[in-house]
Amino acid sequence: MASFSYLMSVLVLCVIIGYANAQLELNFYAKSCPKAEKIIKDFVEQQVPKAPNTAAAILRMHFHDCFVRGCDGSVLLNFTSTNGNQTEKLANPNLTLRGFSFIDAVKRLVEAECPGVVSCADIIALVARDAVVATGGPFWNVPTGRRDGTISNVSEANADIPAPTSNFTRLQQSFAKKGLDLNDLVLLSGAHTIGVSRCSSFSERLYNFTGVLGTQDPSLDSEYADNLKSRKCRSINDNTTIVEMDPGSFKTFDLSYFKLLLKRRGLFQSDAALTTRTSTKSFIEQLVDGPLKEFFDEFGKSMEKMGRVEVKTGSAGEIRKHCAFVNN
């Protein structure tokens, strides 16, 4: 009996140790690839000033990655005849994703230093943070140790990524499914303070809101709507024109996006939805009335929380050699 008790104690200890080792941690690569995070940071700081929109693009990629099968780099996978299904890249929300070549460039640098060590999922998370910081935005901790997924499915991406046409209920359900609350919803939507969008993501608000051509979303400020129709999206069929998500401040990580929401000037229906509930609207007002540092701090906490969603660690998944393809 004593030997059995000892064996059980050892098994429990092994489970505990295995569980602990399977968690994300700061400086996960300190021993296996000590220069990895500096290599990534240096490349981002060198390249982002040349293309400031990179920060918004990679931030969006990180979000879309985490909302489908967790933060596992599955958004990066290309379709091949061997995987037999269309990947997340081909999902409607991902057709306008940018930044894949940027991630590939970072991966090549890291692979040259430490082959087969640093995951593509971690690279997305680190680049998103470093790119935002490089544009003057907030810093947040990025614990690492994510492993790359081997499955990427177009239908899952279409189902799980909140669309810009989402109402409040849909947004709340999508975020809750990933363990994110209403404050996280508001804070992560605050990423719309930087970047741009195509007219096709919101043109129905201007021209076809009720399904009848010529109807406009009454929740959208009429002056702002008129400006969009006369100067930007002159037709419901415009799929190419680029519009700033935070007009006049789209390159600056600030509180302007939230101020516009309170003026009914959020670009997307999902933006406007944030002010349709007392709880989220009050939180937006609190952020607007507070110091910028409060938004930065809270945004960082929500980003770190999102970065832990359904991660693969330990022996799950793999470390891809090339981010667009699973290993042979």
Side-chain angles (χ1 to χ4, degrees):
M1 181 65 71
S3 60
F4 177 78
S5 298
Y6 173 76
L7 179 60
M8 290 302 294
S9 297
V10 170
L11 287 173
V12 170
L13 181 61
C14 287
V15 169
I16 292 173
I17 291 173
Y19 180 81
N21 287 342
Q23 302 311 293
L24 301 183
E25 58 184 83
L26 291 173
N27 302 311
F28 178 84
Y29 301 107
K31 293 182 179 179
S32 59
C33 192
K35 294 181 181 178
E37 292 198 24
K38 187 177 188 306
I39 289 172
I40 294 170
K41 181 172 178 286
D42 287 350
F43 181 79
V44 169
E45 289 180 344
Q46 179 186 31
Q47 298 297 323
V48 167
K50 302 175 186 177
N53 286 337
T54 300
I58 305 296
L59 197 54
R60 183 173 178 236
M61 178 190 292
H62 185 28
F63 178 89
H64 285 208
D65 183 42
C66 291
F67 265 67
V68 186
R69 292 186 168 266
C71 312
D72 68 348
S74 55
V75 72
L76 302 172
L77 288 172
N78 286 344
F79 169 81
T80 66
S81 56
T82 55
N83 63 29
N85 64 273
Q86 291 185 322
T87 60
E88 294 170 32
K89 276 186 178 181
L90 299 175
N92 288 333
N94 292 335
L95 294 177
T96 54
L97 276 187
R98 295 174 296 109
F100 295 108
S101 60
F102 195 96
I103 297 298
D104 287 342
V106 174
K107 177 65 170 175
R108 285 193 294 271
L109 292 173
V110 176
E111 283 293 298
E113 177 70 20
C114 310
V117 174
V118 181
S119 70
C120 299
D122 275 342
I123 288 174
I124 295 176
L126 289 165
V127 170
R129 189 271 311 278
D130 292 344
V132 168
V133 172
T135 60
F139 173 91
W140 63 90
N141 289 321
V142 179
T144 43
R146 298 168 188 79
R147 288 172 65 83
D148 297 321
T150 58
I151 298 172
S152 183
N153 189 290
V154 64
S155 61
E156 291 178 348
N158 280 326
D160 291 346
I161 298 171
T165 56
S166 297
N167 60 25
F168 185 88
T169 300
R170 165 67 171 143
L171 291 171
Q172 184 177 23
Q173 291 172 343
S174 295
F175 275 67
K177 185 179 177 182
K178 301 302 173 183
L180 301 170
D181 59 28
L182 292 181
N183 279 8
D184 297 318
L185 168 60
V186 170
L187 290 161
L188 294 174
S189 296
H192 290 172
T193 185
I194 56 173
V196 296
S197 173
R198 285 185 170 86
C199 292
S200 54
S201 294
F202 59 88
S203 59
E204 285 200 353
R205 294 189 77 194
L206 302 175
Y207 295 105
N208 193 34
F209 185 67
T210 64
V212 177
L213 198 62
T215 56
Q216 182 175 297
D217 184 352
S219 71
L220 185 63
D221 176 74
S222 58
E223 184 179 340
Y224 181 43
D226 290 343
N227 182 281
L228 287 170
K229 288 193 286 188
S230 63
R231 299 187 180 184
K232 297 289 185 178
C233 311
R234 294 188 172 92
S235 161
I236 193 172
N237 300 315
D238 186 339
N239 295 315
T240 57
T241 301
I242 298 297
V243 179
E244 301 169 5
M245 292 192 290
D246 186 359
S249 180
F250 77 107
K251 292 182 180 179
T252 307
F253 216 100
D254 56 20
L255 291 166
S256 176
Y257 163 77
F258 292 120
K259 294 176 181 177
L260 289 174
L261 291 190
L262 297 177
K263 296 178 179 178
R264 301 191 297 120
R265 293 191 172 196
L267 191 60
F268 306 126
Q269 194 172 340
S270 58
D271 292 327
L274 300 179
T275 63
T276 62
R277 295 295 187 278
T278 302
S279 57
T280 47
K281 185 176 182 181
S282 295
F283 186 44
I284 292 170
E285 291 169 340
Q286 176 186 321
L287 290 170
V288 167
D289 291 339
L292 181 60
K293 184 180 183 301
E294 179 183 347
F295 170 46
F296 275 24
D297 290 346
E298 295 303 314
F299 179 83
K301 291 175 187 175
S302 287
M303 284 299 300
E304 183 175 349
K305 184 176 176 182
M306 185 189 78
R308 294 179 180 274
V309 168
E310 298 170 12
V311 293
K312 295 169 178 63
T313 56
S315 59
E318 64 181 14
I319 304 298
R320 283 185 223 136
K321 296 174 184 176
H322 187 295
C323 290
F325 304 99
V326 296
N327 298 337
N328 294 326

